[in-house]
Amino acid sequence: MPEAFFASTRKKRKRPPQSSATAKNSARPRKAPRRDEELDSDATHSDIADLDLRASDVDSGESDREENPNETPAAKRLRLAKIYLDSVKEGLTVAEGEYDAAEIDREIISARLKEDVLENAGKLHIFIAGSIIVEDPPPSRLRVKGHRMAVTSALISHDASRVYMAGKEGGISCNDVASGKQLSYAPKLRRQGSTSNGIGGKGKGKKKGNTPASELSGHSDEVLALALSGDGKYLVSGGKDRTVGVWDVIGLAWVKGFVGHKDTISALSFRKSTNMLYSASSDRTLKLFDLSPGVMGYVETLFGHQDSVTGLDSLRGDTAVSCGGRDRTVRFWKIADETQLVFRGGGAGSSKARDILDGVLDEDEGVEMYESSRKGKGKGKGKDKEKWVEGSVDCVAMVDEQTFLSGGDSGSIALWSINKKKPTFTFATAHGLDEMESSTEGKLRRPRWIVSLACLRYSDLFASGSWDGRIRLWKLEPSLRSFSPVGSLDAPGLVNSLQLIAMPKAWASDKEWSADTRKTSKDTTNTDATNGVSPPILTNGVGKEPRLGRWIRLKEDGIVNSALIFALRTRKATG
């Protein structure tokens, strides 16, 4: 029996049906390599076709080398890199037609490549603040008028050919930077059946004949914020009518309006070099829109703030920074991760007062600490150490992808890093103290609020504005642990908005107001690059009252509702 059992097993293994089935199955996998080979062949031909298309823009000699089958991958990469550098040279020739290959090779091309790498990494890499000159002589300045009420926002286009302004009367204007003349104007619209303020009459519900905001081709109330898209095709506006308006930059033609915010739109910001738009509102939310061609729609809403969002800024990364006014927080939004980092403002000077308000300290203990600081007990204490409670964070500006600035009603400017919950550095009363007379209390002092902030993107230079009649320029230390003042510019009025951009080439060639007719130092320039970095242009909107209210009104002489454009100068590089 056992022998027969083993014998039958051997026979089953050698059965013809199984061998034939195995032969059929063995033929099937042989076809797969043929299909793979055909796909590889097609891909190879498509790559060659793509290379031939690129070579059509180059000389015939380059095309012959592309078809060389003996070319190694390393040689191919080297050849394509040379083609790219040649295209960079063509785009960076000087305006007058002169071509200095040595200068381009050593400075412009290397600076551009380094800038691209560092900017993609989101790090500060432009160091220009130390070379800025604000006196002897002062920078050239252009004042652009055109609004009856306070200018709430002012922006210069990417090519610095036009300046856009928004005013509290509800209008938006476009002016030529070379001459200052107005090119176009979009006035405030009045809804049918609405009152003079454009909101609607008395009574509950919708008033008969009142035109919805979504059907208007413009704004029906104060315009408080402006932003330019990354491609420079769209101007976006927002204000009290709760509508995000999209305009064509040429002629201010209405493109589309987005409704969705439930309260005043207070701030707008585009991601650098994109058409992704952030909007902030007094309804305590941020909204994200995609204005790319073919999309032009709403994306999502971000929640977190406990009070009106008053400031907003963003850079190249998929992040944004916003401040929540009276909730005294700055929030760093990570859009892709759907998370946010919360930074509580106030600074070191207001911690004891805040502890009293929050119930952490007894009132008697807090008063004793305050009185001791006022009387100067201990070393280094006295009225120079006077501290101010920050009750509102009103403006923010991003330095790079991990560092940002904030300012508020305590008059302090705080430097933050996303790696620390407390400010890295705080500069108290940056714009000084404002004195006023009281019939009962005598002379009272209060800090001037930080109303606006702006940073030259990825650089060590930023500006701040208040109502002391000066725009102050600041220099960040390379370690990003502190900053110091550089100088100030004359700007009578309340500085409601600030913008810093790099000066384009041949800036002064077609602008009479920026051509310096006075005797200047040989060590200064307003057209040449300093260490490969162009000098900045500072644009700001000024008015007699603040952007988000009327809690102060300036009546001094010389204050005009307008936009000011400064062509800053830098010292020429030496050596």
Side-chain angles (χ1 to χ4, degrees):
M1 291 294 291
E3 294 179 359
F5 175 78
F6 289 116
S8 62
T9 312
R10 295 190 190 99
K11 289 179 181 180
K12 288 180 181 178
R13 291 180 180 175
K14 296 180 180 179
R15 283 188 302 176
Q18 288 187 357
S19 61
S20 62
T22 304
K24 290 179 182 179
N25 294 333
S26 63
R28 290 177 184 172
R30 294 176 184 173
K31 295 180 180 179
R34 292 193 189 100
R35 294 193 188 101
D36 295 340
E37 289 175 2
E38 290 175 0
L39 290 174
D40 292 342
S41 178
D42 293 340
T44 303
H45 289 306
S46 65
D47 291 343
I48 294 174
D50 293 340
L51 290 176
D52 289 338
L53 288 174
R54 279 198 294 263
S56 61
D57 298 333
V58 199
D59 59 354
S60 58
E62 297 289 344
S63 178
D64 294 340
R65 285 192 292 273
E66 275 188 299
E67 297 175 358
N68 183 8
N70 297 325
E71 185 179 30
T72 63
K76 181 178 178 180
R77 288 194 296 269
L78 178 61
R79 175 173 50 80
L80 293 177
K82 290 180 179 179
I83 295 174
Y84 168 72
L85 292 178
D86 290 339
S87 65
V88 172
K89 290 179 181 180
E90 292 177 2
L92 294 176
T93 53
V94 293
E96 294 79 3
E98 299 176 359
Y99 184 87
D100 190 344
E103 181 181 358
I104 290 176
D105 288 340
R106 288 194 303 268
E107 297 180 4
I108 302 181
I109 295 179
S110 61
R112 174 174 170 177
L113 296 178
K114 290 178 181 178
E115 181 178 349
D116 290 342
V117 172
L118 292 172
E119 188 168 319
N120 288 329
K123 297 180 180 179
L124 182 145
H125 59 276
I126 300 174
F127 299 96
I128 193 175
S131 61
I132 295 293
I133 300 174
V134 294
E135 295 178 355
D136 193 26
S140 303
R141 188 184 76 170
L142 173 67
R143 182 185 293 275
V144 183
K145 304 178 184 179
H147 289 268
R148 180 171 50 88
M149 300 181 70
V151 174
T152 56
S153 183
L155 295 175
I156 197 168
S157 60
H158 300 322
D159 59 357
S161 62
R162 299 176 301 276
V163 60
Y164 301 93
M165 295 183 293
K168 275 196 170 183
E169 77 282 353
I172 301 173
S173 63
C174 174
N175 292 63
D176 180 51
V177 174
S179 61
K181 296 181 179 179
Q182 189 174 101
L183 302 177
S184 54
Y185 183 79
K188 171 185 174 182
L189 302 180
R190 179 171 295 184
R191 302 182 187 178
Q192 296 180 1
S194 65
T195 58
S196 59
N197 61 5
I199 298 301
K202 297 180 180 179
K204 295 181 180 180
K206 293 183 179 179
K207 188 174 181 179
K208 187 176 180 180
N210 192 17
T211 306
S214 58
E215 297 180 7
L216 291 176
S217 298
H219 290 284
S220 59
D221 209 334
E222 297 179 9
V223 181
L224 302 177
L226 296 176
L228 277 168
S229 61
D231 57 8
K233 294 182 179 180
Y234 299 118
L235 174 72
V236 179
S237 57
K240 282 193 172 182
D241 61 358
R242 312 171 188 176
T243 302
V244 176
V246 183
W247 309 78
D248 191 329
V249 295
I250 306 300
L252 291 181
W254 180 262
V255 177
K256 190 172 183 178
F258 295 99
V259 294
H261 279 296
K262 298 178 181 179
D263 208 337
T264 300
I265 297 171
S266 55
L268 297 165
S269 179
F270 274 97
R271 279 182 60 190
K272 180 176 169 55
S273 304
T274 71
N275 284 351
M276 299 300 293
L277 172 71
Y278 298 98
S279 65
S281 170
S282 297
D283 63 5
R284 303 179 293 180
T285 67
L286 276 70
K287 290 187 182 295
L288 179 61
F289 300 90
D290 188 355
L291 304 189
S292 302
V295 180
M296 196 66 71
Y298 161 81
V299 178
E300 64 175 322
T301 302
L302 308 177
F303 299 91
H305 281 291
Q306 303 301 310
D307 198 66
S308 301
V309 185
T310 55
L312 175 66
D313 198 13
S314 60
L315 292 176
R316 181 183 292 273
D318 197 8
T319 57
V321 170
S322 62
C323 56
R326 291 288 172 182
D327 73 0
R328 298 176 294 187
T329 65
V330 179
R331 295 177 186 256
F332 185 88
W333 304 87
K334 298 181 179 181
I335 309 302
D337 298 338
E338 298 183 352
T339 60
Q340 56 182 283
L341 302 177
V342 182
F343 302 87
R344 305 203 176 273
S350 64
S351 60
K352 295 183 180 65
R354 179 166 297 175
D355 289 341
I356 296 173
L357 297 175
D358 294 339
V360 178
L361 289 177
D362 293 335
E363 184 176 357
D364 294 339
E365 183 181 0
V367 170
E368 183 179 354
M369 290 182 177
Y370 177 74
E371 292 297 335
S372 64
S373 64
R374 292 283 291 174
K375 294 178 180 179
K377 292 182 179 180
K379 294 183 178 180
K381 294 183 179 181
K383 68 178 182 179
D384 291 337
K385 294 292 182 180
E386 192 172 0
K387 300 172 183 178
W388 306 94
V389 178
E390 186 171 49
S392 176
V393 182
D394 297 322
C395 52
V396 290
M398 293 188 73
V399 177
D400 58 24
E401 302 294 350
Q402 296 186 339
T403 312
F404 56 91
L405 299 152
S406 69
D409 61 357
S410 67
S412 300
I413 301 177
L415 176 65
W416 302 80
S417 170
I418 64 172
N419 300 316
K420 293 182 65 177
K421 284 295 183 181
K422 293 184 178 180
T424 305
F425 180 77
T426 302
F427 196 102
T429 58
H431 283 259
L433 299 175
D434 198 10
E435 296 184 352
M436 57 184 298
E437 293 289 340
S438 173
S439 58
T440 58
E441 301 293 333
K443 184 178 291 187
L444 299 178
R445 301 199 305 169
R446 62 172 178 176
R448 296 188 179 95
W449 293 20
I450 306 300
V451 181
S452 55
L453 287 171
C455 183
L456 183 62
R457 290 177 169 178
Y458 301 106
S459 81
D460 63 342
L461 175 68
F462 73 92
S464 63
S466 186
W467 66 82
D468 60 341
R470 309 292 295 179
I471 297 173
R472 301 189 183 275
L473 303 178
W474 308 83
K475 176 186 176 182
L476 288 160
E477 298 301 324
S479 61
L480 293 178
R481 294 184 179 179
S482 65
F483 56 85
S484 57
V486 172
S488 61
L489 303 171
D490 186 25
L494 209 150
V495 182
N496 286 318
S497 73
L498 286 168
Q499 180 200 29
L500 278 167
I501 68 168
M503 184 180 295
K505 289 184 175 296
W507 157 263
S509 61
D510 58 345
K511 299 170 182 61
E512 296 180 359
W513 63 269
S514 65
D516 193 6
T517 57
R518 293 159 296 186
K519 185 176 180 181
T520 60
S521 172
K522 295 181 180 179
D523 296 331
T524 64
T525 177
N526 64 341
T527 56
D528 298 333
T530 303
N531 293 328
V533 180
S534 298
I537 302 172
L538 175 63
T539 308
N540 67 288
V542 296
K544 297 181 179 180
E545 58 188 28
R547 181 175 67 99
L548 297 177
R550 290 187 174 133
W551 44 269
I552 185 174
R553 183 171 178 83
L554 304 180
K555 300 180 180 180
E556 291 84 355
D557 295 336
I559 300 177
V560 181
N561 298 321
S562 60
L564 296 174
I565 305 174
F566 293 90
L568 300 181
R569 292 181 176 84
T570 56
R571 296 181 181 88
K572 290 184 178 180
T574 58

